[in-house]
Amino acid sequence: MFTGIIEEIGEIAAISASGDGWRLTVLAPKAAADAVHGESIAVSGVCLTVVASTETTFDADVMKQTLDVSALGTVQVGSRVNIEKAMPVGARLGGHIVQGHVDGVGTVLEVRPGAQWSVLRISLPAELAPLVVDKGSISVAGTSLTVSAVSAGPSTGSGTQEGSGTADDEHWFEVSLIPETLEATILGALEPGDIVNLETDILARHVERLLAFRSAPEGGSR
């Protein structure tokens, strides 16, 4: 379990084949300093298991399914990644509950820099759109963020996006990043076209699942 509060920016130091997946060597001195075999570390929002470590690096295996559904499949040697170790029992929950189980990926559509913060607009897969709400929580590349705007839902009927005066059928959301987030995570270096891991709020996912069963015909199967 994680909180989405990034502890350091790491770097992919090596990539090697591991079955049909990869073994990643990640340069992350803070995380690696006391890393132990079998512990969980989130790498840009993906929960990985440490299989080996040194004083400055740790190794983790990434299976093909994870490479296919997450942005880890696009990393190269030298790519920077967000690093967070698992939350210890009794610690403050500074962000929100993040599992490290990526729901999908989004593409950075727009970066709007401001005097005190930057706004990112990120595309949202259609199946995730109902789970993202204005002022709700979302994990982007493992970073706990608050949604500052979302595209219009189906109930509006006009196709007009919340937070803008334009009509567009594409699903998206926006997050506003303070200077600390821009400096302490890889989000500050994102540009239009970059792909990022997305994890929606676990509470929203549970509610959606419950409603799906309640709306199912009696005696039917889903």
Side-chain angles (χ1 to χ4, degrees):
M1 193 74 67
F2 306 92
T3 69
I5 304 300
I6 304 305
E7 299 177 58
E8 67 177 313
I9 296 177
E11 181 179 311
I12 302 298
I15 302 174
S16 58
S18 178
D20 62 355
W22 290 350
R23 174 163 292 190
L24 298 181
T25 299
V26 183
L27 176 64
K30 290 182 180 179
D34 58 353
V36 297
H37 186 276
E39 79 167 286
S40 297
I41 298 179
V43 178
S44 284
V46 181
C47 178
L48 299 179
T49 300
V50 175
V51 296
S53 64
T54 69
E55 291 184 353
T56 59
T57 67
F58 67 88
D59 291 354
D61 291 329
V62 188
M63 59 184 174
K64 183 178 184 300
Q65 180 186 11
T66 302
L67 295 173
D68 289 342
V69 303
S70 77
L72 282 188
T74 67
V75 299
Q76 303 174 8
V77 173
S79 293
R80 303 204 312 164
V81 288
N82 286 330
I83 300 295
E84 181 190 0
K85 300 191 76 173
M87 178 179 66
V89 175
R92 288 187 174 92
L93 184 61
H96 72 284
I97 296 174
V98 177
Q99 293 183 295
H101 301 163
V102 173
D103 293 318
V105 297
T107 301
V108 177
L109 302 175
E110 183 182 358
V111 178
R112 302 198 305 273
Q116 297 296 326
W117 58 80
S118 287
V119 176
L120 298 184
R121 178 175 290 191
I122 301 172
S123 69
L124 190 61
E127 65 272 18
L128 300 184
L131 305 176
V132 179
V133 299
D134 189 23
K135 306 301 186 294
S137 296
I138 191 167
S139 170
V140 177
T143 308
S144 174
L145 299 171
T146 300
V147 176
S148 57
V150 292
S151 53
S155 61
T156 63
S158 63
T160 300
Q161 299 169 331
E162 297 177 19
S164 89
T166 62
D168 192 341
D169 291 334
E170 184 176 42
H171 298 289
W172 54 261
F173 69 96
E174 292 183 351
V175 287
S176 299
L177 309 180
I178 62 174
E180 174 64 20
T181 303
L182 294 171
E183 294 178 8
T185 76
I186 65 171
L187 302 185
L190 291 178
E191 299 178 348
D194 287 341
I195 298 174
V196 290
N197 291 322
L198 304 177
E199 181 183 334
T200 57
D201 190 347
I202 185 175
L203 297 179
R205 298 200 301 274
H206 277 296
V207 170
E208 182 186 49
R209 179 69 169 168
L210 288 169
L211 291 176
F213 273 97
R214 291 195 175 196
S215 62
E218 186 175 350
S221 60
R222 294 181 63 87

